[in-house]
Structures are given as structure tokens and as C-alpha cells.
Amino acid sequence: MYRGGSLELMGCVSTAAHVRRSQVLGIIPIAIVEGNFVGKTVEEELRVPTMQDMIWKMLDNSDVFIALPSGIGTLEENFQIASWAQLNIHHKPIGLLNVDGLFNKLLSFLDQAGEEIFTLHSARQIFISTSTIEEMIDKLEDFVLEPYPIAAQIDWSKGSRIKSANWICHSICIISCLLVSLTLIIFFYLCCVLVYFRFDL
């Protein structure tokens, strides 16, 4: 599974997986598809409304995340997924394929941020960094995420109840507006009838 399209490393990896008869799923925002600047998605394509929907769908459909050498978009997605792991939203491992030391300074930044207490030391442990895919697979298989004690107490299932409550509130507001509008229409109609009969008399 990947972000869709056929460009750069994502395109190469998805094409190679497809050629070797592996199942490939590209999740891509509709606007990017319509922009037609990332090429055609290899095999199955799932179109979603927004970038946020794309990340949620990736989270729902994946067992692990592996970041290949890339740019800002990949970093943004992986940091968001890492943040969700720290908040106990999921427990899926996140790998950085650190080819030729590309992510060395990023990992040093995370180490320094932990030392200066801007982040938790456990935040650094969320990322698994290796220079080869073979070593990456071995570490991913052995990875166990230790949740931050405070985050472990968060009950994310309440989010669905909040959404349901919001939906009920919106429905009540809409129904109330319709009833008020209907009442005004009836009142206006009755006024017109009374005026008509008054002049008729």
C-alpha cells in the first residue's frame, strides 16, 4: 500500500511488487488524481476526499509503515503516524529505511529533543531505523511499542460517541429550522386568507 501514482521510488516499488504478483493498493486524494501530475496508480486505486482521509485509510489498511528516502510529504505523514502511536491511537511499528544515512540528522534531532526534554525518550523509540530492508524486516517483526503511561489511559472509543452526539445535534437543529420555517409559512398563509376574507366582506 502506498500514496498512489507511478513516480519516483513509490512508483518503482509499487511496480516491482505488482510484477512479482503482490497485491498493491494506492490510496490517493481525488484532487491529486484530477491534477494528473503523479502518474497512473499501479493496480488497485482508492480515491479519498482529503490528505487526512488518505492517512486514516493507510492506518486502517496497514500493519506497519516504512518510509523510503523521500521529502516533506513522507516526513509529515510519518510524524503524524508517530504522534498517533505516542497517543495510543495505534500500536503499529514505523520504519525509516536509512539509506546512506539520509535520516541520520533527523534521528539526531529526535535524540537531542529528548535530551532537552522537548519530547519523551520513548518518542525516539517509535522509529525503527536500518540501512537495509532485510534488517528492517527483522526489527519490525520483533518490535513492541511501549505506550506512554498517561496516553494509555485515553479512551479513543469515545470519539465515535462524540461524533454520534454531534450528528444528533445537527439533525435536531435542521429539524428545528424546518419546523420554524413551516410554522412561518402556515402563519403567512393564514394571514393572507384572513386579509382576503376581510376585503371580500
Side-chain angles (χ1 to χ4, degrees):
M1 183 185 61
Y2 72 118
R3 284 188 297 175
S6 57
L7 299 182
E8 302 175 346
L9 279 177
M10 290 191 300
C12 293
V13 173
S14 60
T15 300
H18 175 68
V19 169
R20 290 180 176 271
R21 301 182 183 277
S22 296
Q23 184 178 2
V24 179
L25 171 63
I27 302 178
I28 186 169
I30 295 172
I32 293 181
V33 175
E34 293 176 346
N36 195 28
F37 57 86
V38 295
K40 184 178 180 180
T41 297
V42 177
E43 203 172 315
E44 184 180 357
E45 181 178 80
L46 174 61
R47 300 182 181 184
V48 294
T50 67
M51 294 291 289
Q52 196 69 20
D53 291 321
M54 180 188 73
I55 295 176
W56 273 114
K57 285 294 184 182
M58 285 185 170
L59 181 62
D60 289 340
N61 289 277
S62 66
D63 296 315
V64 301
F65 296 90
I66 300 178
L68 303 178
S70 190
I72 293 175
T74 297
L75 292 177
E76 184 268 334
E77 291 160 9
N78 279 271
F79 270 104
Q80 185 165 2
I81 291 296
S83 176
W84 289 350
Q86 191 173 12
L87 289 171
N88 200 37
I89 295 176
H90 72 91
H91 304 92
K92 300 176 181 181
I94 303 168
L96 299 176
L97 191 58
N98 195 16
V99 179
D100 292 335
L102 178 67
F103 293 120
N104 283 351
K105 291 185 178 180
L106 174 64
L107 296 171
S108 296
F109 160 74
L110 292 173
D111 290 334
Q112 183 178 354
E115 292 170 1
E116 298 181 6
I117 321 179
F118 285 106
T119 64
L120 300 171
H121 284 288
S122 58
R124 169 64 180 85
Q125 306 307 315
I126 292 175
F127 292 100
I128 300 170
S129 174
T130 67
S131 58
T132 66
I133 193 63
E134 292 80 11
E135 186 182 3
M136 173 69 69
I137 292 173
D138 290 339
K139 287 194 174 184
L140 288 174
E141 290 176 345
D142 297 333
F143 177 80
V144 177
L145 177 65
E146 297 182 6
Y148 180 50
I150 295 177
Q153 301 174 23
I154 301 175
D155 183 7
W156 289 103
S157 64
K158 293 180 179 179
S160 58
R161 293 198 290 271
I162 292 173
K163 290 180 181 178
S164 298
N166 288 338
W167 182 85
I168 293 172
C169 289
H170 285 308
S171 300
I172 291 173
C173 288
I174 292 172
I175 293 171
S176 299
C177 290
L178 290 174
L179 289 175
V180 169
S181 300
L182 182 61
T183 303
L184 290 174
I185 291 171
I186 294 173
F187 177 76
F188 178 75
Y189 174 77
L190 291 174
C191 288
C192 291
V193 171
L194 290 174
V195 170
Y196 172 78
F197 278 108
R198 181 179 177 185
F199 280 100
D200 188 54
L201 293 173

